[in-house]
Amino acid sequence: FHIPMIGTIPSFSYVYHEKFVLTLQEAFVTLDLFTRLQSPLLEFIIALLQSVEGIVSLGRINKFLQLEEKVQSNKIVRSKFFLPGISIESGHYSWGTKGGFEISNVNMEVKPGEIHAVVGSTGSGKTSLTLAILDQMDKISGQATVRGKVAYVPQSAWIFSASVRENILFGRPFEAKRYAAVLRASCMEKDLESFSEGDLTILSEGGSNLSGGQKQRISIARGAYADADVYVFDDPLSALDAQVSNELFRKMMLEYLNRKAVVLVINQLQFLKQCSVVSVLEG
Ligand code: DCP
Ligand code: MG
């Protein structure tokens, strides 16, 4: 005897035998039983999935909490009584592994209003130097002080899934005047016009609906909007064509950030003559 059922349980069978009589009571009780079983069964699957996610998350948190404590090696001062900037004397930094990459004999002094360019061939340690300033590398010897609030624009732009505006504000309150100035300085205005919903257009994770140059300029704009005292840019012009590079260098580096202490890793040597100091990484 076959009873078709509605819902997620397709059907079940009732064994027909002389001894069993399928009464209305039995049919409805059985039906009711199966209907009641549907939702716990579904919830069981969801609970199973969530338990797996929970176990994975716990593992990650555990790994993070057990990481070795990093000793702060650069002196980071945040006080109004000091002029913002960076001072490093005979700095010697390593990546922590024996026989690994090291940078030594680092001497730099960056004051407000200066652009300190850093040049060197690929793999010479430009990114490492910027991370040394941010205290991400281990200092072996030397004196280093970073005074003021620091903003860092990494070599590869990082975009998260939210609107263009949220990517630039990065959790900070919206200030129309500063926001407009930042958009102008990072040459984003034209791009925003071409987006369907302007700066409220939602970007996908990793920014796959943007060009490399757009991603990079959003990343630069995010740094500029942070209103820091010290700016560290790791090769911000790499994904831009010559014309946009020129415009961005002038509007952002020379005009918008003209009172900030700026460290600028750069491969476009034509801009060096407009920088205050040029450091070359050798060996
Ligand atoms: N390195 C490391 N650990 C890191 C980062 C870098 O051991 N977390 C090593 C690998 C390289 C060396 O440092 O051999 C220099 O790498 P950089 O990224 O500092 O070099 P650049 O920034 O100059 O290179 P590029 O111009 O390609 O950006
Ligand atoms: Mg680099």
Side-chain angles (χ1 to χ4, degrees):
F1 199 91
H2 195 75
I3 302 178
M5 297 251 318
I6 314 153
T8 46
I9 301 170
S11 67
F12 72 97
S13 301
Y14 183 89
V15 181
Y16 183 71
H17 191 268
E18 291 161 357
K19 279 188 189 167
F20 307 123
V21 186
L22 180 61
T23 58
L24 259 185
Q25 189 190 356
E26 259 169 75
F28 280 115
V29 168
T30 318
L31 264 172
D32 182 53
L33 186 75
F34 274 81
T35 319
R36 278 166 196 245
L37 269 177
Q38 281 182 25
S39 86
L41 278 175
L42 271 177
E43 277 164 21
F44 175 71
I45 298 169
I46 297 170
L48 203 69
L49 284 175
Q50 289 184 342
S51 316
V52 172
E53 276 177 23
I55 291 169
V56 172
S57 308
L58 272 180
R60 287 185 187 160
I61 293 171
N62 189 24
K63 223 167 154 187
F64 172 72
L65 290 179
Q66 300 207 353
L67 282 177
E68 225 174 287
E69 208 64 49
K70 186 178 176 305
V71 192
Q72 198 187 55
S73 45
N74 284 355
K75 222 159 103 191
I76 306 215
V77 192
R78 281 203 183 167
S79 160
K80 289 197 175 103
F81 301 110
F82 295 99
L83 202 61
I86 303 167
S87 319
I88 302 178
E89 268 174 61
S90 330
H92 185 176
Y93 294 89
S94 92
W95 273 116
T97 44
K98 273 205 180 114
F101 187 83
E102 292 182 2
I103 42 176
S104 55
N105 203 13
V106 181
N107 289 292
M108 63 194 296
E109 182 74 45
V110 191
K111 296 193 199 91
E114 285 187 352
I115 301 177
H116 191 115
V118 174
V119 295
S121 54
T122 174
S124 60
K126 303 183 293 296
T127 299
S128 301
L129 178 65
T130 62
L131 293 174
I133 293 170
L134 300 177
D135 206 21
Q136 302 283 309
M137 274 183 101
D138 292 338
K139 192 173 74 178
I140 297 170
S141 63
Q143 294 286 331
T145 316
V146 179
R147 298 172 302 268
K149 191 174 150 194
V150 183
Y152 173 59
V153 179
Q155 188 160 16
S156 48
W158 173 77
I159 302 290
F160 57 93
S161 170
S163 66
V164 178
R165 183 184 291 197
E166 282 169 289
N167 263 279
I168 294 176
L169 300 184
F170 204 49
R172 295 188 170 78
F174 178 73
E175 278 176 43
K177 216 172 141 193
R178 169 150 54 123
Y179 184 68
V182 164
L183 287 186
R184 208 173 312 121
S186 51
C187 313
M188 280 302 296
E189 287 164 322
K190 268 204 196 111
D191 302 77
L192 290 180
E193 277 168 26
S194 71
F195 292 166
S196 56
E197 284 167 76
D199 68 343
L200 299 178
T201 310
I202 301 290
L203 304 176
S204 58
E205 190 69 42
S208 50
N209 46 354
L210 294 175
S211 77
Q214 286 169 335
K215 275 193 258 187
Q216 207 167 32
R217 278 176 293 130
I218 289 180
S219 178
I220 294 169
R222 180 189 298 151
Y225 191 82
D227 196 24
D229 308 304
V230 175
Y231 280 82
V232 181
F233 289 100
D234 194 351
D235 212 359
L237 307 180
S238 61
L240 309 180
D241 62 36
Q243 195 202 333
V244 181
S245 287
N246 271 325
E247 201 180 327
L248 190 122
F249 187 84
R250 180 170 54 78
K251 289 185 179 169
M252 180 59 82
M253 307 298 164
L254 298 179
E255 289 166 16
Y256 188 78
L257 299 175
N258 68 346
R259 286 183 198 177
K260 310 287 186 179
V262 177
V263 174
L264 177 66
V265 172
I266 194 161
N267 279 305
Q268 291 72 9
L269 304 184
Q270 70 271 25
F271 295 117
L272 292 185
K273 58 180 185 290
Q274 295 172 74
C275 299
S276 328
V277 184
V278 180
S279 285
V280 183
L281 283 158
E282 272 184 329

